Amino acid sequence: MADITELIHDYLRHNKKFPHVFCAGCGHGIVLGALIRSIHALGLSKDEVCIVAGIGCSGRIAAYVDFNTVHTTHGRALTFATGIKMANPKLKVITIMGDGDAMSIGGNHLIHAARRNIGVTALVLNNNIYGMTGGQCSATTPQGATTQTTPFGQMEKAFDIVTLAAAAGANGVYRGSTFHVNMLDRLVATAIERPGFNLVEIITPCHTQYGRKNKYKSAVDMFKWIKKNCVPKEKFDALPEADRGEKMPIGTFVEKDHKGLEQLYGELQARLNRPGRPVAEPEQPSAQHAEESRNIMNKEPK
Amino acid sequence: MTKKAKGQTEITIYPDWCKGCGICVEFCPAKVLALGRDGKARVARLDECINCGFCERHCPDFAIVVRGKGRKRRAPACAENGETPVDKE
Amino acid sequence: MAQKKSKQRKAVFALGNEAVVEGALLAGCSFYAGYPITPSSEIMEVMAARLPRSEDGVFIQMEDEIASMGAIIGASLAGRKAMTATSGPGFSLMQENLGFACMTEVPLVVVNVMRGGPSTGLPTSPAQGDVQQARWGTHGDHPVIVLSASDVRECLEMTITAFNFAEKYRTPVILLLDEITAHTREKIELPEPGELEIVGRSYPTVPPEWYKPYEDTMRGVSPMPPIGSGYRHHVTGLTHDVLGFPTQRPDEVKAIMERLFRKIDQFYPDIMLVEEYMTEDADIGVVAYGSVARSAELAIDMAREQGYKAGLIKLKTLFPFPKPFVNRLAARCSRIVVPEMNMGQMSREVKRVAARTTSIRTVNRIDGQIITPTQICKAITQG
Ligand code: SF4
Ligand code: SF4
């Protein structure tokens, strides 16, 4: 045991200012630690890992680690990651997104990344709030919660990230918490190692923007809440409906073995370019194509 | 995995990195740590530490280092430029 | 990019859109991400058939244009020459990530086949309404290179030029076509590989530990290693220092912003491309671009037949605006005619540089029809 922090220090950028920007007791630092430990456990070299982050508090994680890091635009991390993975399938591409990033502005990209099963690992840091912009409600803010933009309580329902990702066709879907860190390490490592699109929802506390307004006076209170309410899936399933209340299952939800898109594409390319295979003339769109599109004036093309 | 033997560790807390969130203090199973008057974590009862690693894993700021008694800082163990890590332990 | 006559050169009967693909492949493009939209879809369709057949070409259809831009930025960061193609509404969606590419200096090519707008507008009709959007579409002050093409041969050539500029200056380059150019089918000769100048990316020449991703250089362009090559660094859309980390220090912010502009500003003579037609003795000038330039060329001939000394500047680079050329024309001409398929977007630029020297007349059309040579000729001949 121990020697954990020193190991993490090896992976931090030494020319970057520490401590990092996150509030005292923010779970994002813990996720960063879990990510580093998972990558170390898998024996990946720093050069073959590419971290692609979105915008928001979680987006800032990328700057601190000594991997290839890209801090993209809000909600678009998965699109950049898709480009990077397709361009160089040898890279381990890991996206870090917040709940606003992944579920609101980037919701479309998330379901399509899951559908096309691109070999990218998505970590969704769910703190139920827009932290960096000052505490507005997000797509995962629980009903009834108070935020800057729901001063009278949230009326809308929250997304269940795990169910959504599973329905969209992700190869692997997991949920972990920043309190149950041993499990988190394991889940993140599994998600990185497996083929196709793998998503880990990580329950992480935002005491500053969410907790204060919702009866959790300190970071410690939030961690106590997580400790109490995140229960392993097996235990959760055994609980009678009535006792579930606020509780959330954590663990493995989906694990399929479909090939990632980049793998399928590589196989297609190998097939098409097999030596000795007669190379067909590339097809050209028919001459009438342009003619047609000019004629069908009333067609709604988009 | 955990040796429950007490007092086998040295603990370093980097005050510049500690933000005083209190997570380590609250959840340390052996109540080794305390918040000092400067609001930063400090070691109060080193002899009680059971080397469980909870604080190291949960400190969001990587400010606590727990290492075996008398052990030196070890060489980096991460894989760089495609090389495999050399286990120095 | 003069093409030498050669017997072996393959001739094809191609659409403007198909010529774009030929040009891109010749330029070394190996990554295409896109979303279908009329009238640019043929570019995507031909790419879908060609790229998987090449050694390392990647084609992917994304969920929208925002995602297409994201994907090609990612691919370019990973070392590929990447492009996408779209039209008006899709181009609007691309603006955010286009700004990211400007800020992080990612080379890529965006082809926008202009159709009538605003909004869904006239999907199958030509227009030139996206000219200022191409220049100023993304938020914040930024430099960008915008090119245009007026016929099928130029579609091929300017696509290659677009890739060359993108790599040379580490910047996104926008190629504006209009529906007419994109859907015109003409016979063109394909250049032999090796016949044209193809610019590659510059890689760091120092060990990784010493590499500073956004360091100033003589050209103002820093070398760009692909992700995974050992040169680990941080790429962010936040204003960053030479190491790529976010900064708000005024001196560092000023330095990087000024370099972004300088890297393009100081190479104006290289970037500003025009073609002049009968301007040597002209006293009436025409400035045109895209398919309108073809009408304008005919109009010059017609006006000359009637005894008017007309001359044309065809803009191949729209931005940075080729000011010296227009200035020279303005100094000679009593009048400059600017025909375009919008209510006056490039004529603004012409007025900006030449309004004090000469009188400027615009010919505008926004009904989804082309501007005819007769229309332009009339503007030339009737004061
Ligand atoms: S968990 Fe870390 S930051 Fe928080 S009080 Fe303990 S040492 Fe300080
Ligand atoms: S390792 Fe940390 S958490 Fe565990 S007993 Fe020691 S001080 Fe407490």
Side-chain angles (χ1 to χ4, degrees):
Chain A
M1 198 41 60
D3 284 343
I4 297 169
T5 307
E6 276 188 9
L7 176 78
I8 290 173
H9 290 174
D10 293 344
Y11 283 88
L12 298 178
R13 280 193 166 121
H14 298 190
N15 52 4
K16 180 79 187 148
K17 219 176 85 209
F18 279 91
H20 50 53
V21 296
F22 307 120
C23 301
C26 172
H28 288 11
I30 301 176
V31 176
L32 176 53
L35 176 64
I36 290 174
R37 286 188 298 273
S38 311
I39 288 170
H40 181 77
L42 293 172
L44 301 173
S45 81
K46 289 180 178 179
D47 286 335
E48 63 184 313
V49 175
C50 181
I51 306 285
V52 186
I55 293 287
C57 294
S58 61
R60 295 301 186 101
I61 288 181
Y64 294 103
V65 264
D66 190 15
F67 301 121
N68 304 287
T69 55
V70 188
H71 180 212
T72 67
T73 44
H74 193 24
R76 319 299 175 205
L78 279 171
T79 69
F80 286 64
T82 303
I84 294 168
K85 185 71 183 180
M86 287 300 283
N88 184 355
K90 287 199 204 92
L91 292 169
K92 286 281 180 193
V93 185
I94 302 163
T95 63
I96 299 179
M97 297 173 286
D99 45 323
D101 241 345
M103 305 314 293
S104 292
I105 188 165
N108 195 29
H109 307 309
L110 183 101
I111 56 173
H112 282 276
R115 174 187 62 81
R116 64 169 66 97
N117 203 24
I118 180 81
V120 166
T121 311
L123 306 184
V124 181
L125 279 57
N126 183 5
N127 55 12
N128 310 105
I129 199 91
Y130 285 89
M132 187 155 272
T133 47
Q136 298 82 7
C137 79
S138 81
T140 55
T141 301
Q143 245 182 339
T146 313
T147 70
Q148 290 286 22
T149 47
T150 56
F152 312 110
Q154 167 69 302
M155 286 176 286
E156 301 168 14
K157 278 188 281 186
F159 262 129
D160 180 342
I161 302 179
V162 162
T163 317
L164 181 75
N171 231 13
V173 182
Y174 311 86
R175 183 190 282 130
S177 97
T178 45
F179 185 85
H180 307 85
V181 174
N182 282 340
M183 179 199 260
L184 184 62
D185 285 11
R186 219 166 46 239
L187 296 178
V188 173
T190 317
I192 295 172
E193 204 183 14
R194 284 170 37 79
F197 184 76
N198 290 274
L199 178 141
V200 191
E201 174 188 1
I202 303 169
I203 308 295
T204 166
C206 176
H207 143 256
T208 312
Q209 305 292 10
Y210 182 79
R212 272 185 315 154
K213 289 210 170 56
N214 293 287
K215 304 192 288 285
Y216 305 102
K217 290 208 179 59
S218 67
V220 169
D221 285 349
M222 292 236 59
F223 275 92
K224 282 182 181 158
W225 174 80
I226 294 178
K227 185 182 178 185
K228 183 169 140 237
N229 285 311
C230 289
V231 292
K233 188 169 173 291
E234 299 70 38
K235 262 199 212 156
F236 180 88
D237 291 342
L239 277 178
E241 195 78 43
D243 295 350
R244 288 184 183 174
E246 262 191 304
K247 290 198 187 343
M248 266 178 291
I250 52 174
T252 303
F253 292 82
V254 174
E255 226 163 47
K256 288 185 288 198
D257 282 310
H258 298 305
K259 284 179 186 166
L261 176 69
E262 75 287 349
Q263 238 173 317
L264 292 174
Y265 189 89
E267 287 171 9
L268 165 78
Q269 202 153 35
R271 228 171 25 245
L272 289 174
N273 293 311
R274 202 181 299 143
R277 188 177 177 280
V279 183
E281 264 300 295
E283 288 150 33
Q284 305 255 343
S286 74
Q288 299 123 4
H289 195 107
E291 205 49 44
E292 273 163 24
S293 60
R294 283 195 56 66
N295 291 337
I296 314 170
M297 295 293 279
N298 297 326
K299 191 178 100 187
E300 273 287 326
K302 192 184 162 176
Chain B
M1 93 195 169
T2 320
K3 292 194 277 341
K4 296 277 177 196
K6 289 182 187 174
Q8 303 296 309
T9 58
E10 279 169 23
I11 301 175
T12 315
I13 299 177
Y14 298 112
D16 269 12
W17 286 23
C18 169
K19 289 177 186 156
C21 66
I23 295 173
C24 58
V25 177
E26 174 70 29
F27 294 104
C28 168
K31 301 277 167 260
V32 173
L33 306 159
L35 280 182
R37 246 182 297 155
D38 57 353
K40 313 267 180 179
R42 62 184 177 79
V43 185
R45 309 190 301 161
L46 182 61
D47 290 345
E48 295 297 311
C49 174
I50 52 168
N51 196 10
C52 69
F54 182 96
C55 55
E56 288 199 295
R57 268 192 224 95
H58 286 78
C59 172
D61 283 278
F62 318 118
I64 298 194
V65 176
V66 182
R67 58 168 93 84
K69 224 170 204 157
R71 277 257 303 286
K72 292 268 161 54
R73 250 204 118 217
R74 39 159 201 71
C78 54
E80 220 160 322
N81 306 319
E83 291 160 19
T84 37
V86 199
D87 205 0
K88 302 267 171 171
E89 315 245 329
Chain C
M1 224 175 283
Q3 292 200 5
K4 284 179 260 121
K5 272 266 171 296
S6 135
K7 284 254 169 59
Q8 297 93 11
R9 237 195 254 122
K10 196 174 144 200
V12 292
F13 190 53
L15 284 179
N17 277 342
E18 291 163 10
V20 166
V21 178
E22 295 295 345
L25 296 178
L26 282 169
C29 170
S30 69
F31 194 101
Y32 184 98
Y35 186 80
I37 183 166
T38 310
S40 74
S41 299
E42 294 87 359
I43 298 179
M44 190 176 182
E45 289 166 7
V46 182
M47 280 292 191
R50 300 276 297 266
L51 280 174
R53 279 199 172 88
S54 66
E55 246 345 271
D56 62 345
V58 177
F59 169 88
I60 184 166
Q61 176 168 333
M62 297 300 287
E63 55 271 20
D64 57 26
E65 286 89 349
I66 300 172
S68 308
M69 266 311 280
I72 65 168
I73 294 173
S76 185
L77 286 171
R80 301 300 194 102
K81 285 188 174 182
M83 76 173 282
T84 186
T86 187
S87 182
F91 192 54
S92 295
L93 287 179
M94 288 178 177
Q95 296 301 338
E96 182 198 23
N97 281 342
L98 204 50
F100 182 92
C102 290
M103 189 50 147
T104 53
E105 303 174 62
V106 174
L108 50 87
V109 174
V110 177
V111 179
N112 174 11
V113 183
M114 291 184 284
R115 66 190 219 186
S119 188
T120 316
L122 301 165
T124 53
S125 303
Q128 294 179 318
D130 305 351
V131 173
Q132 292 292 348
Q133 190 197 11
R135 175 62 193 89
W136 294 113
T138 194
H139 60 275
D141 208 0
H142 62 281
V144 72
I145 297 176
V146 183
L147 307 176
S148 80
S150 65
D151 59 31
V152 176
R153 187 181 53 87
E154 260 182 39
C155 283
L156 183 141
E157 285 178 8
M158 293 313 285
T159 306
I160 297 174
T161 308
F163 273 99
N164 286 350
F165 283 174
E167 296 296 338
K168 212 164 171 182
Y169 303 109
R170 260 192 86 168
T171 182
V173 177
I174 297 156
L175 175 60
L176 289 181
L177 308 180
D178 53 65
E179 190 272 343
I180 294 285
T181 317
H183 283 165
T184 300
R185 196 175 275 281
E186 286 179 297
K187 187 176 153 196
I188 54 162
E189 288 190 342
L190 297 181
E192 292 292 311
E195 190 178 326
L196 302 170
E197 192 209 1
I198 305 295
V199 178
R201 203 164 288 186
S202 68
Y203 297 115
T205 47
V206 295
E209 294 77 24
W210 280 266
Y211 168 65
K212 297 197 179 106
Y214 298 96
E215 196 174 23
D216 203 352
T217 62
M218 274 259 266
R219 288 203 299 125
V221 181
S222 341
M224 184 179 172
I227 291 176
S229 61
Y231 291 84
R232 298 186 300 275
H233 64 279
H234 188 54
V235 177
T236 176
L238 285 163
T239 308
H240 39 264
D241 58 17
V242 290
L243 292 177
F245 296 128
T247 181
Q248 294 190 9
R249 265 176 51 187
D251 56 327
E252 288 177 345
V253 173
K254 184 165 180 269
I256 186 157
M257 290 309 291
E258 285 182 352
R259 182 175 62 73
L260 281 187
F261 281 89
R262 179 163 49 82
K263 73 176 180 183
I264 292 187
D265 290 358
Q266 65 186 357
F267 294 101
Y268 276 176
D270 180 41
I271 300 172
M272 290 174 178
L273 302 175
V274 301
E275 239 168 57
E276 304 200 27
Y277 181 62
M278 297 199 162
T279 49
E280 309 81 31
D281 62 340
D283 51 27
I284 301 170
V286 177
V287 175
Y289 56 97
S291 64
V292 179
R294 287 186 106 172
S295 296
E297 210 174 306
L298 258 170
I300 300 289
D301 294 343
M302 288 158 68
R304 288 251 168 192
E305 265 168 36
Q306 296 173 37
Y308 293 89
K309 282 187 181 164
L312 165 72
I313 286 187
K314 173 163 83 183
L315 305 175
K316 293 165 111 176
T317 302
L318 301 184
F319 296 102
F321 184 68
K323 186 173 158 183
F325 298 93
V326 175
N327 259 340
R328 220 173 304 142
L329 185 73
R332 174 183 301 124
C333 297
S334 59
R335 193 164 71 242
I336 289 185
V337 177
V338 188
E340 50 185 341
M341 288 185 282
N342 55 46
M343 288 310 280
Q345 296 199 7
M346 277 318 263
S347 60
R348 251 171 233 257
E349 298 296 318
V350 178
K351 281 176 186 158
R352 189 168 59 81
V353 303
R356 262 168 297 155
T357 343
T358 184
S359 81
I360 288 149
R361 180 150 174 206
T362 62
V363 177
N364 308 108
R365 190 154 194 183
I366 50 165
D367 59 355
Q369 300 301 306
I370 57 167
I371 299 183
T372 60
T374 328
Q375 234 181 320
I376 301 171
C377 183
K378 233 188 197 159
I380 295 171
T381 56
Q382 301 171 2

